[in-house]
Amino acid sequence: MNQRTAAPFFLDCDTGIDDALALAYLLASPRADLVGIGTVSGNVSAAGGARNTLDLLNLAGHPDIPVAIGAHDPQVGTFHGGAPHVHGDNGIGGVDLVPSDREPVKQTAAELLVQLAHQYAGELRLVAIGPLTNIAEALRLEPQLPQLIAEVTIMGGAALAPGNISPVAEANIANDPEAAAEVLAADWNVTLVPLDVTMTNVLEEHHRQELLATEHPVSQALGEMLGYYFGFYIDIFGRACSAMHDPLAAAIAVRGVELTLAPTVRVQVDTTHGPGRGQTVCDLRGQYAGFPEQRGARCRVVLGIGEDFAPHLLGTLQAAWLTEEQAAAPVA
Amino acid sequence: MNQRTAAPFFLDCDTGIDDALALAYLLASPRADLVGIGTVSGNVSAAGGARNTLDLLNLAGHPDIPVAIGAHDPQVGTFHGGAPHVHGDNGIGGVDLVPSDREPVKQTAAELLVQLAHQYAGELRLVAIGPLTNIAEALRLEPQLPQLIAEVTIMGGAALAPGNISPVAEANIANDPEAAAEVLAADWNVTLVPLDVTMTNVLEEHHRQELLATEHPVSQALGEMLGYYFGFYIDIFGRACSAMHDPLAAAIAVRGVELTLAPTVRVQVDTTHGPGRGQTVCDLRGQYAGFPEQRGARCRVVLGIGEDFAPHLLGTLQAAWLTEEQAAAPVA
């Protein structure tokens, strides 16, 4: 990795199969230097997500990146127990990874984020691909966080697309609407990567076969995990494939994909207890006239990307794995 | 009009420029026999809408159709005063029609609807193109209404399209969400015609010129009204044209246009006081797999129609006006 051109990244996640893909992508991208990871309950518990993250880092040969366990419960209510029907009981599709002997750091995810935001002041990019509980907590711990963080990219919400855990709500936001409302109201510019693009850029079975055929332990593990994930998505798409929520958000954060439609608009999170709870209410009424500027709007909502994402994702992963192999090969 | 093939229709409206187009369409369609009209506050007050309706019926040569004034206020709160910026102070773009000397009937709109539902039991088709206050009142007056009415078509809501009076809410529904919730929860099948199709089927300036060039008093009046309406829509579409909310609902009710995408799904109206108030929360999560059947779903949500609507609308109006002219011409 070329540290001179790579920006420092903090990943907040709930690892999760697509989180594992996002993590692998950030490790592989020459534009990202992953300096810390926090976990939050979502696809699995915060502690379970940290375990998966440590094991994946170990498998990927990155034992140096600190992992901090974050919030177990959302701001209102308690953790619902995860999504084993989507991600398997262990969060990574039942795949058994070699257990890492590393432990999470003693800090909470919010504390680690605040520490790294100071250490990389003005440079740190935050990618949040789970519920936003830790990020809201970090904003309360350090009210200057919006000035310290360079960029925030969030996988979450649904703008004009249907939701995935209610007709209008996406799981990351709906798992902690109050935290999401705080994060989107904070004094920073946010790029929101909603279901509108993550459900329309899918990984197909031939992509999965390509991962399974690649001689790298992370590639094989991802291919196996995706077998489980594809099983869930058969009911959604009518065929074996999967959405790519989290890796797409990671790729957008590293500017790996071109955005063709991403208006900056007002976004409000529904924190009522009505049928809209957890919805990201995006003001897209300007769509018929090319989205005129909205005063006070600070959330860029990604509605379209310019290329087929799967080849970029696989290409980035495989380029990194090939480089590793070449570096490890004995000099001829 | 061929009464033998025409179904009896009740129109509930808030006349309104596009309501005037819907009224003209129902009068013109050989498949519709308009037997009663109720008015409700929305674009204008219920009383103002009745005045406009009586004047339009007079101009169109249909002085026989009873018009009943319905609810002035929604179920919660009071009438907001209308939408003069969209429809003009008088609701019909400031156009002065020859005043009819007829008065509304003594009954309320809900009472007239219930009476006609009994008179045309099992046959009456209800087209509601304003807030749903009168329809909810009619359901309370006559709990058997769903068994008496043959079909209900509602212009209202936004499924995947943005709203028009909030980021997610459409005006008819949002003007009385509590009434809309009652109507959509009642034991009948409803066809909902939301902004998803009414904002994508527009009337252009050349269509308006066609109306102005047609030698019929209703055509001229509609053309003039649309001048005002187009002025409002310049900011929305970036050019002089207009959505065709109400006439499209009327045409769908008479089966004048083919539906290419209209899944029957669960729809819930947001009656909270949060940012989603008045939203029609349509469960369209099945869209990626071709909308599998939803148990208990009774609302058909129109998301696509098969043709360009404006030519059908103008063609229907002009065919009727030509027939009138021929009938009125002296025998050669």
Side-chain angles (χ1 to χ4, degrees), chain A residues 193-283:
Chain A
V193 183
L195 296 180
D196 302 66
V197 278
T198 68
M199 288 296 284
T200 50
N201 287 283
V202 302
L203 210 64
E204 301 286 352
E205 178 62 20
H206 69 90
H207 297 123
R208 190 175 88 84
Q209 291 301 332
E210 213 178 300
L211 285 168
L212 287 172
T214 301
E215 294 281 340
H216 189 282
V218 174
S219 192
Q220 311 262 326
L222 292 174
E224 284 173 41
M225 288 176 206
L226 285 167
Y228 192 94
Y229 206 46
F230 278 31
F232 165 74
Y233 275 107
I234 285 177
D235 282 349
I236 308 292
F237 288 109
R239 67 182 190 278
C241 67
S242 79
M244 281 185 293
H245 310 300
D246 294 346
L248 183 56
I252 286 169
V254 305
R255 294 175 177 60
V257 295
E258 185 203 354
L259 308 185
T260 53
L261 185 62
T264 298
V265 298
R266 286 180 291 267
V267 178
Q268 209 176 344
V269 178
D270 189 329
T271 55
T272 70
H273 289 266
R277 180 168 173 79
Q279 181 178 15
T280 47
V281 174
C282 302
D283 192 350

Side-chain angles (χ1 to χ4, degrees), chain B residues 11 13-25 27 34 37 39 44 48-65 67 90-93 95-102 216-223 225 321 324:
Chain B
L11 178 67
C13 55
D14 54 338
T15 317
I17 296 171
D18 59 325
D19 303 70
L21 275 166
L23 175 60
Y25 178 90
L27 293 174
L34 193 54
I37 300 173
T39 65
V44 284
R51 196 71 261 155
N52 290 339
T53 305
L54 287 166
D55 294 349
L56 283 161
L57 288 173
N58 181 52
L59 195 67
H62 286 273
D64 46 329
I65 301 169
V67 175
N90 71 350
I92 50 174
V95 173
D96 282 319
L97 299 180
V98 178
S100 160
D101 54 11
R102 273 215 300 152
H216 189 282
V218 174
S219 192
Q220 310 263 326
L222 292 174
M225 289 175 206
W321 294 329
E324 272 178 44

Side-chain angles (χ1 to χ4, degrees), chain B:
Chain B
M1 190 186 307
N2 183 347
Q3 296 289 351
R4 282 172 301 183
T5 60
F9 274 78
F10 185 93
L11 178 67
D12 195 79
C13 55
D14 54 338
T15 317
I17 296 171
D18 59 325
D19 303 70
L21 275 166
L23 175 60
Y25 178 90
L26 287 176
L27 293 174
S29 172
R31 303 191 198 180
D33 176 18
L34 193 54
V35 296
I37 300 173
T39 65
V40 60
S41 294
N43 299 326
V44 284
S45 70
R51 196 71 261 155
N52 290 339
T53 305
L54 287 166
D55 294 349
L56 283 161
L57 288 173
N58 181 52
L59 195 67
H62 286 273
D64 46 329
I65 301 169
V67 175
I69 300 178
H72 181 73
D73 292 317
Q75 295 194 6
V76 174
T78 53
F79 174 49
H80 53 52
H85 60 298
V86 186
H87 294 273
D89 285 333
N90 71 350
I92 50 174
V95 173
D96 282 319
L97 299 180
V98 178
S100 160
D101 54 11
R102 273 215 300 152
E103 292 300 320
V105 296
K106 298 287 174 216
Q107 295 153 291
T108 65
E111 289 166 350
L112 180 62
L113 170 56
V114 168
Q115 179 206 307
L116 292 168
H118 280 282
Q119 190 175 332
Y120 297 94
E123 286 183 63
L124 190 67
R125 298 196 202 168
L126 169 58
V127 182
I129 59 177
L132 295 169
T133 322
N134 294 339
I135 316 306
E137 190 186 324
L139 281 166
R140 271 175 269 127
L141 276 180
E142 176 49 275
Q144 295 304 309
L145 197 66
Q147 286 72 53
L148 295 167
I149 296 280
E151 287 186 13
V152 182
T153 305
I154 295 169
M155 190 279 129
L160 299 175
N164 61 2
I165 64 155
S166 92
V168 291
E170 178 277 334
N172 283 347
I173 304 298
N175 276 337
D176 196 341
E178 284 74 15
E182 269 184 74
V183 170
L184 287 175
D187 187 24
W188 50 20
N189 296 325
V190 166
T191 296
L192 192 69
V193 183
L195 296 180
D196 302 66
V197 279
T198 69
M199 288 296 284
T200 50
N201 287 282
V202 301
L203 211 64
E204 301 287 353
E205 179 60 20
H206 69 89
H207 297 123
R208 190 176 87 84
Q209 290 301 330
E210 215 177 300
L211 285 169
L212 287 171
T214 301
E215 295 280 340
H216 189 282
V218 174
S219 192
Q220 310 263 326
L222 292 174
E224 285 173 39
M225 289 175 206
L226 285 166
Y228 192 96
Y229 205 47
F230 278 31
F232 165 75
Y233 275 106
I234 285 177
D235 281 351
I236 309 292
F237 288 110
R239 69 180 190 281
C241 67
S242 78
M244 281 185 291
H245 310 300
D246 294 345
L248 183 56
I252 286 169
V254 305
R255 295 177 177 61
V257 296
E258 186 202 354
L259 308 185
T260 53
L261 185 62
T264 297
V265 299
R266 285 179 292 265
V267 178
Q268 208 176 345
V269 178
D270 188 329
T271 55
T272 69
H273 290 265
R277 180 167 173 79
Q279 181 178 14
T280 47
V281 174
C282 302
D283 192 349
L284 299 173
R285 286 175 286 178
Q287 73 170 0
Y288 305 102
F291 294 110
E293 197 181 327
Q294 288 180 19
R295 278 175 80 92
R298 276 185 312 207
C299 186
R300 184 170 66 154
V301 179
V302 181
L303 299 175
I305 64 169
E307 63 201 293
D308 189 7
F309 176 54
H312 169 75
L313 173 62
L314 294 194
T316 304
L317 295 176
Q318 285 164 338
W321 294 329
L322 190 66
T323 307
E324 272 178 44
E325 208 175 279
Q326 288 168 339
V331 176

Side-chain angles (χ1 to χ4, degrees), chain A residues 3-229:
Chain A
Q3 296 288 350
R4 283 171 300 182
T5 60
F9 274 78
F10 185 93
L11 178 67
D12 196 78
C13 55
D14 54 337
T15 317
I17 296 171
D18 59 326
D19 303 70
L21 274 166
L23 175 61
Y25 178 90
L26 287 175
L27 294 173
S29 172
R31 304 191 198 181
D33 176 18
L34 192 54
V35 296
I37 300 173
T39 64
V40 61
S41 294
N43 299 326
V44 283
S45 70
R51 195 71 261 153
N52 289 339
T53 305
L54 287 165
D55 294 349
L56 281 161
L57 288 173
N58 181 52
L59 195 68
H62 287 272
D64 47 331
I65 301 168
V67 176
I69 300 177
H72 180 73
D73 292 316
Q75 294 193 6
V76 173
T78 53
F79 174 49
H80 54 52
H85 60 299
V86 186
H87 294 273
D89 285 334
N90 71 351
I92 50 174
V95 173
D96 282 319
L97 299 178
V98 178
S100 160
D101 55 11
R102 272 216 300 152
E103 290 300 321
V105 296
K106 297 286 175 215
Q107 295 153 291
T108 65
E111 288 167 349
L112 180 61
L113 169 56
V114 168
Q115 179 206 305
L116 291 169
H118 279 281
Q119 189 175 331
Y120 297 95
E123 286 182 63
L124 190 66
R125 298 195 202 171
L126 170 58
V127 181
I129 57 176
L132 295 168
T133 323
N134 294 338
I135 316 306
E137 189 186 325
L139 281 166
R140 272 175 268 126
L141 275 180
E142 175 49 275
Q144 296 303 309
L145 197 66
Q147 287 73 52
L148 295 167
I149 295 281
E151 287 186 11
V152 182
T153 305
I154 295 170
M155 190 282 128
L160 299 175
N164 60 2
I165 64 155
S166 92
V168 291
E170 178 278 334
N172 283 347
I173 304 297
N175 277 337
D176 195 342
E178 283 74 15
E182 270 185 73
V183 170
L184 287 176
D187 187 24
W188 51 20
N189 296 324
V190 166
T191 296
L192 192 68
V193 183
L195 296 180
D196 302 66
V197 278
T198 68
M199 288 296 284
T200 50
N201 287 283
V202 302
L203 210 64
E204 301 286 352
E205 178 62 20
H206 69 90
H207 297 123
R208 190 175 88 84
Q209 291 301 332
E210 213 178 300
L211 285 168
L212 287 172
T214 301
E215 294 281 340
H216 189 282
V218 174
S219 192
Q220 311 262 326
L222 292 174
E224 284 173 41
M225 288 176 206
L226 285 167
Y228 192 94
Y229 206 46

